[in-house]
Amino acid sequence: MVQQLQLQLQPLSAQRPSLLRCRTLSQRTTALRKGTPVLISLHSSWSCRTNGLTRIRALSQDEIPPNALLRKNDPLWRGGFSLGVDLGMSRTGVALSKGFSPRPLTVLDLRGQKLELRLLEIAEQEEADEFIVGLPKSRNGEETPQSNKVRSVAGRLAVRAAERGWRVYLQDEHGTSTEALDLMIDRGLNNSARKGRIDAYAAMMVLVRYYSMSGHGTELVIPKQSELQEKLRRGPPKDLDFFPEEYEDCS
C-alpha cells in the first residue's frame, strides 16, 4: 500500500479557501495513519481539506530532494546514481545516470516479484539510490490504460526500496521510445540490435528528461507505513568512498 505523491509547482494562492494548513509532523503523521491521501508539492505549503478528501504534504523538498535537483543546486554534489526504468508489457528496460553520460544497462524479461527484486539488485550493484520509472501518458498529458499498471509496479517497488532508504519517482515518458529509436539509428545500430535494446535506450531517455528538468514534474511514490517514510527521511547509509571525511573518527 502506497500513496503516490505528485510534485506539483502550484502556488498556495491557487488552492481553494477550504484548505487548512497542517504544519506539524504529528498532524501529518496522524493524517497518514488514517489513510489520508497525501500530496507532495515542491513549493506549496502544508495543507489539508476540511471536507471530503484530505490532502497533506507528507515530506518537504528539503527532506527528500531528488538527485537531479541536488546536482543542479550543487555541481560538486556526491551521491548515488539514478536508475531509469522503462516498464513494458513483457520487457523492462534499465539505464543508469548521475546527471551526465547516461547509458543503457540491460533489458529484463521478468515480471512481478522477480522483476522488483532484480531491480533492487541492480541498484545495489550500480550504487543507485533512486528509481526513475517512466509513466505512460498521451500527447495531451493524460494518463493511459497502461499508466495504472505502471503505478502498481512502482508502488510495490517503492515499499521494497524504502526499506533501504531509496526513493521511487514517476517521470512522464511520452515520446521517449521515439527519441530512443532516433538515437539508436544515429549511432548506427542495425535493426536487430535496435529491437533487442530499444527498452534500455527508452529508459535512458527517461533519465535524460528527468535530469534536464532537474526533477521537476515528477511524482514521488511514498509508502503508507510511517516507519518506511522515516527511512526515506534518513535516506540510505552514506558510502565511505563518497564521504570519507564522515568516517575519520571511526577507525
Side-chain angles (χ1 to χ4, degrees), residues 2-153:
V2 298
Q3 303 288 351
Q4 293 176 344
L5 316 182
Q6 185 171 13
L7 299 176
Q8 296 180 341
L9 305 180
Q10 177 179 337
L12 183 61
S13 59
Q15 298 178 1
R16 299 175 64 177
S18 59
L19 296 179
L20 294 180
R21 296 182 180 180
C22 303
R23 298 187 179 278
T24 67
L25 178 60
S26 61
Q27 287 176 319
R28 304 164 200 168
T29 304
T30 299
L32 288 167
R33 287 176 176 172
K34 290 181 179 180
T36 300
V38 180
L39 177 69
I40 265 191
S41 172
L42 281 177
H43 300 296
S44 61
S45 298
W46 285 93
S47 57
C48 60
R49 192 182 299 275
T50 57
N51 55 343
L53 188 67
T54 303
R55 289 181 175 181
I56 177 174
R57 257 179 53 186
L59 299 167
S60 72
Q61 178 186 3
D62 292 335
E63 289 176 294
I64 311 183
N67 288 351
L69 184 60
L70 291 173
R71 170 158 291 280
K72 177 185 178 182
N73 293 338
D74 181 9
L76 300 179
W77 168 76
R78 296 169 295 171
F81 285 83
S82 305
L83 204 68
V85 181
D86 180 74
L87 292 168
M89 296 296 293
S90 59
R91 305 197 312 170
T92 296
V94 184
L96 187 71
S97 180
K98 205 172 189 178
F100 54 88
S101 303
R103 59 188 177 93
L105 281 183
T106 188
V107 176
L108 304 176
D109 293 311
L110 300 171
R111 300 181 68 180
Q113 180 176 324
K114 291 183 178 180
L115 172 61
E116 297 156 21
L117 294 177
R118 182 61 184 135
L119 288 173
L120 294 172
E121 290 176 358
I122 294 174
E124 185 168 2
Q125 292 168 1
E126 300 294 342
E127 299 180 339
D129 58 13
E130 67 175 12
F131 299 85
I132 312 302
V133 180
L135 180 66
K137 288 189 177 182
S138 63
R139 181 175 301 178
N140 60 7
E142 295 182 357
E143 297 192 11
T144 68
Q146 181 67 10
S147 300
N148 286 335
K149 298 178 181 179
V150 169
R151 287 183 177 277
S152 179
V153 176

Side-chain angles (χ1 to χ4, degrees), residues 158-207:
V159 171
R160 297 180 185 274
E163 290 284 358
R164 299 161 171 80
W166 300 342
R167 292 95 54 204
V168 174
Y169 294 90
L170 292 171
Q171 169 71 54
D172 180 4
E173 69 170 17
H174 173 71
T176 53
S177 293
T178 301
E179 294 169 359
L181 181 58
D182 291 343
L183 178 61
M184 298 174 80
I185 293 175
D186 290 343
R187 291 187 175 182
L189 277 70
N190 60 35
N191 186 62
S192 176
R194 294 199 299 268
K195 184 176 180 180
R197 300 279 288 168
I198 182 64
D199 299 283
Y201 271 80
M204 184 180 73
M205 299 313 298
V206 168
L207 286 179

